[in-house]
Amino acid sequence: MTTDNDPEYPIQVSVLRLGHRLVRDDRTSTHVALVSRAFGCKKIYMAYSDNRIVDTIHDMNERWGRQQEFEVELVNDWRSLIKSWKRNAGNVVHLTMYGINLNKTLPQIKIKNNILVVVGASKVPREVYSMADYNVAIGHQPHSEVAALAVFLDRLFEGRELDRCFKNAKMNIIPSQAGKRVSLEER
Amino acid sequence: MTTDNDPEYPIQVSVLRLGHRLVRDDRTSTHVALVSRAFGCKKIYMAYSDNRIVDTIHDMNERWGRQQEFEVELVNDWRSLIKSWKRNAGNVVHLTMYGINLNKTLPQIKIKNNILVVVGASKVPREVYSMADYNVAIGHQPHSEVAALAVFLDRLFEGRELDRCFKNAKMNIIPSQAGKRVSLEER
């Protein structure tokens, strides 16, 4: 499972999105997928089918490039996914305000090469808490799974995810003090 | 402006939310407000009136406590707000993928005691880029203003925001390895 890992980013992270509620969570689920892609995850598993998210990610990959083959995959049986993940010697980290504070737990997590980060929308089934290797709280106040995922990944990758290179982009941003500068690639 | 600052958190941060689109951005704006509250900001200014967000924050404060008087304020003229902020010796930081990478810019930002963080939804008016003291990119890939705000605050507060104490809560989480444990306060 770890043979194709980037030596600069030896930890491969995938995301499992649970509990999407129709309409209400459309934008939030899209943001979860966009953060997963932008912060260098390998894949997002969605327990709910939404072609718009697949289209959005495809469009982003076309316009803004890829740092690897980031994919959206529909998963019908997330319990099996979690179980097989653990069997294959990967960590399962569930982000929840009820867990152990990130500040306390991150130094103690025995990071394996393949992490599955589980983020819920509304209520997450109880069994997720017991199936996860780690229940990690990005603070103990209610806020946002988008924020929780982003902060977890930023800490895990120690900020280097913001410098990742995305290849084969049609558009590349030229960082600017003020304004919007973009270079367009001929392909 | 700085006399009532918490000595442990000498930097006061407020958030300005621009460009909310009806329905489409409802949940995202709510998440921006929740992150602002949970990560210890002082106030969120919204350039759009939505009583549901005010009600949600009020409900959170009642149930989960306050670390200070976090407020939602409707702002009709955000240009005046930004101008007066700068006159009163505060920083204005605009989060945008077109700005300078956070990894590069945060060590160089001359942090003042009062920061206004500007986050947009869809297209942000050009003048925001020139009015801001700093245009900061949480990476140069499109993702989420909720994620951008959370990562910026986590870096700014060096992670301490996750340990903040919220007072007068009806419910307090007892951090748990697995499961949901809450203590209820009699009041």
Side-chain angles (χ1 to χ4, degrees), chain A residues 31 37 141 144 163 177, chain B residues 31 37 103 135 141 144 163:
Chain A
H31 282 216
R37 175 187 170 276
Q141 288 287 327
S144 165
D163 296 317
Q177 293 283 358
Chain B
H31 282 217
R37 174 188 170 276
N103 287 345
N135 289 281
Q141 288 287 326
S144 164
D163 296 316

Side-chain angles (χ1 to χ4, degrees), chain A residues 21 23-25 27-28 31-32 34-35 37-39 60 64-65 96-103 105 108 123-124 126 129-130 132-135 137-148 150-151 154-155 158-163 166 171 173-182, chain B residues 21 23-25 27-28 31-32 34-35 37-39 60 64-65 96-103 105 108 123-124 126 129-130 132-135 137-148 150-151 154-155 158-163 166 171 173-182:
Chain A
R21 293 159 296 181
V23 183
R24 182 181 164 105
D25 290 321
R27 290 292 295 161
T28 311
H31 282 216
V32 168
L34 289 173
V35 168
R37 175 187 170 276
F39 283 35
M60 292 294 162
W64 297 103
T96 165
M97 65 193 275
Y98 297 96
I100 307 293
N101 198 300
L102 178 69
N103 286 346
T105 199
Q108 294 174 355
K123 286 200 174 155
V124 169
R126 282 272 175 170
Y129 292 81
S130 51
D133 296 306
Y134 300 98
N135 288 281
I138 314 302
H140 303 290
Q141 288 287 327
H143 54 90
S144 165
E145 63 271 31
V146 182
V151 169
D154 188 51
R155 297 274 194 105
E158 297 174 335
R160 290 177 301 134
E161 80 287 353
L162 302 187
D163 296 317
F166 283 67
M171 299 162 74
I173 284 173
I174 303 165
S176 176
Q177 293 283 358
K180 296 161 81 162
R181 294 181 65 205
V182 173
Chain B
R21 294 159 297 181
V23 183
R24 182 180 163 105
D25 290 322
R27 291 290 298 161
T28 311
H31 282 217
V32 167
L34 289 173
V35 167
R37 174 188 170 276
F39 283 34
M60 293 291 160
W64 297 103
T96 165
M97 65 193 274
Y98 297 97
I100 309 292
N101 198 300
L102 179 69
N103 287 345
T105 200
Q108 295 174 352
K123 286 201 173 156
V124 170
R126 283 270 174 170
Y129 292 81
S130 50
D133 296 306
Y134 300 98
N135 289 281
I138 314 302
H140 303 290
Q141 288 287 326
H143 54 91
S144 164
E145 61 270 32
V146 181
V151 169
D154 188 51
R155 298 273 195 106
E158 298 174 334
R160 289 177 302 134
E161 80 287 352
L162 302 187
D163 296 316
F166 283 66
M171 298 162 73
I173 284 173
I174 303 166
S176 176
Q177 293 282 359
K180 296 161 81 164
R181 294 180 64 203
V182 173

Side-chain angles (χ1 to χ4, degrees), chain B residues 71-99:
Chain B
E71 290 172 14
V72 183
E73 185 175 320
L74 178 66
V75 59
N76 289 315
D77 183 353
W78 55 264
R79 289 171 187 83
S80 294
L81 174 68
I82 292 179
K83 283 177 193 161
S84 74
W85 202 273
K86 291 173 77 169
R87 269 200 308 277
N88 286 294
N91 287 131
V92 176
V93 176
H94 173 219
L95 302 184
T96 165
M97 65 193 274
Y98 297 97

Side-chain angles (χ1 to χ4, degrees), chain A residues 38-66:
Chain A
F39 283 35
C41 295
K42 188 182 173 76
K43 188 182 274 196
I44 182 166
Y45 298 95
M46 316 257 330
Y48 158 76
S49 171
D50 187 337
N51 282 335
R52 282 171 304 180
I53 292 180
V54 177
D55 293 346
T56 298
I57 294 296
H58 180 78
D59 182 49
M60 292 294 162
N61 285 342
E62 285 296 301
R63 284 162 69 197
W64 297 103
R66 305 154 182 265

Side-chain angles (χ1 to χ4, degrees), chain B residues 152-170:
Chain B
F152 179 78
L153 293 173
D154 188 51
R155 298 273 195 106
L156 184 71
F157 293 134
E158 298 174 334
R160 289 177 302 134
E161 80 287 352
L162 302 187
D163 296 316
R164 274 186 187 248
C165 181
F166 283 66
K167 293 166 190 161
N168 298 321
K170 282 184 189 163

